[in-house]
């Protein structure tokens, strides 16, 4: 968990403002949910490994004896927890407010979440997530809208050229069925397959054998990995079929093809999608299309998401189609260069000690009324250090103020 100095905070807010503006331009509406949710909801078996990283809130009023008696049962000790993502709260929100929402609801959530991570570069215990979700639309249009809005936000931030890796959890399940993996061994198999880009095909096959996975299934999977490769035909039926073994249901491929065609229409013919039959994503609530946002400047994902049609039904009592996309804000903000405001809108007024306070405040009020950001600073012996500090804080111009200075005589000069 981190503190942010003024310049860092201003930089983060500038990035958030761009993301918000682009999301709203695509028809999404922002909501807000509490930072805590019920313990049982956060530990319902749908959050994957994130459930193990959640921060729980101790029940109020427990004495030492009660705590010792309940030590073996976390649910007896805690009734609330800090949210570890924004998807579980959204599902609860929709189930609670469905009657007040449109039949197809497009939501923005930009807020902090908490996970008990081991802190390291790019991983924090408190971080901001930027989510957009569409609830109530089971068609490929929903995924296409999410992808188009997310790529648009990336472009607006100066990170043009983003691509999205796409797969479908149903295709993964069908593929494991074709190879012959038993249902009870598939979760562990998927964990290993997810390491393909890190340990390579031979490493994945070796780990599957070490796990004791079905030997014939591992042999079939190894043969599939070793098959002759052909040049990808693109994100179309031929290209997707070429990347999959025989036996994958047509409706899965058709959904992916429709997704590619819709994104192409929205992007002026450009299809920045790449089909990856080994993309897994670890969240247990994904039921269909899954995706990750990539950029050539880095070797890690900048966001991702997927379809989670079964989650809302747990709270509402009936299934509702839903799909979401989360931009990795913390990773993106670290990639962007420091942005400065253009022109002389952020001004430091450096004044002499004897300038009347009334004159200073009046002059500042006039400049603020013109749309400028204004800071008053009394002149110091080391004027250079004062101006360098102002520059670091995001100010782009300065002016000196004496006893006779008026708005007409004020000379605003650029900093730096």
């Amino acid at each position: 968990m981190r503190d942010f100095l003024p310049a860092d905070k201003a930089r983060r807010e500038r990035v958030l403002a761009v993301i918000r503006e682009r999301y709203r331009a695509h028809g999404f509406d922002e909501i807000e949910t509490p930072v805590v949710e019920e313990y049982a909801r956060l530990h319902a078996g749908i959050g994957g490994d994130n459930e193990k990283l959640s921060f729980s809130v101790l029940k109020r009023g427990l004495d030492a004896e009660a705590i010792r008696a309940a030590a073996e049962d976390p649910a007896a000790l805690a009734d609330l927890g800090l949210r570890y993502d924004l998807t579980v709260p959204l599902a609860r929100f929709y189930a609670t407010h469905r009657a007040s929402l449109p039949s197809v609801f497009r939501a923005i959530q930009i807020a902090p979440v908490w996970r008990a991570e081991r802190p390291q570069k790019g991983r924090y215990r408190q971080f901001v997530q930027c989510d957009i979700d569409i609830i109530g639309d089971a068609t490929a249009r929903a995924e296409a809208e999410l992808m188009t809005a997310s790529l648009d936000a990336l472009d607006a931030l100066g990170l043009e050229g983003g691509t999205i890796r796409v797969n479908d959890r149903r295709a993964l399940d069908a593929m494991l069925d074709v190879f012959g993996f038993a249902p009870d061994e598939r979760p562990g198999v998927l964990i290993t397959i997810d390491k393909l880009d890190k340990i390579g095909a031979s490493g994945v096959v070796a780990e599957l054998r070490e796990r004791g996975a079905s030997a014939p299934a591992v042999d079939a999977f190894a043969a599939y990995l070793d098959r002759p490769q052909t040049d990808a035909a693109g994100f179309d039926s031929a290209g997707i079929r070429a990347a999959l073994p025989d036996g994958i249901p047509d409706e899965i491929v058709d959904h992916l093809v429709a997704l590619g065609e819709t994104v192409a229409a929205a992007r002026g013919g450009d299809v920045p999608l790449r089909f990856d039959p080994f993309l897994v994503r670890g969240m247990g609530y994904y039921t269909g299309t899954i995706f990750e946002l990539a950029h050539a400047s880095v070797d890690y994902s900048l966001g991702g998401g997927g379809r989670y049609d079964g989650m809302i039904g747990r709270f509402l009592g009936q299934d509702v189609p839903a799909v979401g996309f989360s931009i990795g804000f913390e990773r993106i903000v670290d990639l962007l260069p420091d942005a400065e405001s253009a022109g002389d809108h952020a001004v430091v007024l450096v004044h002499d000690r004897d300038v009347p306070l009334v004159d200073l405040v009046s002059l500042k009020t006039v400049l603020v009324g013109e749309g400028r950001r204004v800071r008053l600073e009394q002149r110091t012996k080391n004027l250079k250090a004062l101006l360098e500090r102002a520059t670091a804080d995001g100010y782009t111009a300065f002016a000196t103020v004496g006893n006779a200075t008026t708005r007409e005589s004020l000379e605003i000069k650029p900093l730096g």
Side-chain angles (χ1 to χ4, degrees):
M1 300 181 186
R2 299 165 292 165
D3 295 320
F4 296 104
L5 293 170
D8 295 326
K9 178 62 175 175
R11 182 165 174 259
R12 291 168 67 86
E13 290 300 323
R14 284 194 293 269
V15 175
L16 287 173
V18 172
I19 294 172
R20 273 193 173 94
E21 189 275 329
R22 296 324 301 158
Y23 282 172
R24 288 184 60 81
H26 284 265
F28 292 82
D29 297 307
E30 190 162 5
I31 65 169
E32 183 174 326
T33 59
V35 302
V36 296
E37 293 284 345
E38 292 182 0
Y39 179 93
R41 184 174 296 116
L42 294 173
H43 294 267
I46 55 180
D49 288 341
N50 289 334
E51 295 189 3
K52 302 174 184 177
L53 301 175
S54 65
F55 286 98
S56 298
V57 179
L58 192 69
K59 289 181 179 179
R60 278 64 60 205
L62 294 180
D63 57 23
E65 183 176 346
I67 292 175
R68 282 194 293 270
E72 300 302 320
D73 182 10
L77 289 173
D79 55 354
L80 299 171
L82 295 177
R83 62 191 178 203
Y84 51 72
D85 72 2
L86 297 175
T87 307
V88 174
L90 175 63
R92 192 268 311 154
F93 173 94
Y94 183 83
T96 302
H97 302 285
R98 185 183 188 186
S100 303
L101 300 172
S103 57
V104 175
F105 179 48
R106 295 168 175 83
I108 303 171
Q109 288 189 96
I110 299 178
V113 299
W114 292 264
R115 296 178 190 171
E117 295 272 12
R118 181 169 59 86
Q120 54 186 293
K121 182 176 175 56
R123 287 189 178 272
Y124 309 105
R125 290 182 172 177
Q126 176 179 316
F127 55 96
V128 171
Q129 284 193 335
C130 299
D131 285 16
I132 46 175
D133 295 79
I134 297 179
I135 301 176
D137 187 346
T139 70
R141 184 187 72 172
E143 285 99 317
E145 284 194 58
L146 295 174
M147 293 178 180
T148 301
S150 298
L151 289 168
D152 190 14
L154 214 63
D155 292 345
L157 290 168
L159 294 173
E160 296 91 347
T163 59
I164 299 176
R165 298 164 59 210
V166 183
N167 197 10
D168 194 301
R169 289 300 290 260
R170 297 169 299 170
L172 277 170
D173 288 339
M175 186 166 60
L176 297 186
D177 187 54
V178 167
F179 294 142
F181 289 104
D184 61 344
E185 63 182 347
R186 291 178 190 175
V189 170
L190 288 176
I191 291 174
T192 299
I193 290 177
D194 198 29
K195 302 176 184 179
L196 189 62
D197 59 344
K198 298 181 179 67
I199 62 177
S202 60
V204 165
V205 171
E207 185 170 314
L208 288 174
R209 297 195 191 283
E210 291 172 6
R211 279 182 173 273
S214 169
V218 175
D219 291 341
F221 180 59
Y224 169 70
L225 292 176
D226 289 339
R227 74 194 188 288
Q229 301 293 311
T230 59
D231 292 336
F235 201 91
D236 55 18
S237 180
I240 294 169
R241 280 291 184 192
L244 291 168
D246 294 336
I248 306 301
D250 289 339
E251 60 266 24
I252 299 173
V253 177
D254 292 343
H255 185 89
L256 293 170
V257 171
L259 169 59
E261 292 173 348
T262 309
V263 171
R267 300 279 293 182
D270 177 34
V271 187
L273 308 183
R274 306 290 181 266
F275 180 66
D276 183 351
F278 303 113
L279 177 64
V280 175
R281 294 193 60 80
M283 300 304 290
Y285 48 64
Y286 289 136
T287 59
T289 317
I290 51 177
F291 31 82
E292 285 191 351
L293 180 61
H295 194 269
S297 63
V298 292
D299 59 0
Y300 48 81
S301 70
L302 295 179
R307 183 166 283 281
Y308 53 98
D309 290 346
M311 182 188 292
I312 294 174
R314 297 196 179 199
F315 306 128
L316 191 61
Q318 63 182 90
D319 286 341
V320 178
V323 60
F325 202 124
S326 180
I327 280 183
F329 172 73
E330 305 294 350
R331 289 182 170 183
I332 287 175
V333 78
D334 288 344
L335 275 181
L336 299 176
D338 291 335
E340 295 183 356
S341 301
D344 58 357
H345 294 292
V347 182
V348 175
L349 296 182
V350 181
H351 61 88
D352 296 329
R353 180 189 297 271
D354 58 351
V355 176
L357 178 61
V358 172
D359 293 347
L360 286 171
V361 173
S362 297
L363 183 56
K364 177 180 179 180
T365 300
V366 171
L367 292 172
V368 170
E370 295 174 359
R372 290 180 166 86
R373 179 185 179 209
V374 184
R375 174 188 288 179
L376 296 175
E377 292 280 6
Q378 183 174 306
R379 186 190 298 271
T380 61
K381 290 182 179 180
N382 190 346
L383 180 59
K384 181 180 178 182
L386 186 154
L387 297 180
E388 287 177 348
R389 176 72 265 171
T391 301
D393 289 343
Y395 288 84
T396 57
F398 78 103
T400 56
V401 180
N403 277 317
T405 303
T406 64
R407 175 63 187 94
E408 290 72 22
S409 64
L410 188 69
E411 184 181 359
I412 298 176
K413 304 175 182 179
L415 280 168

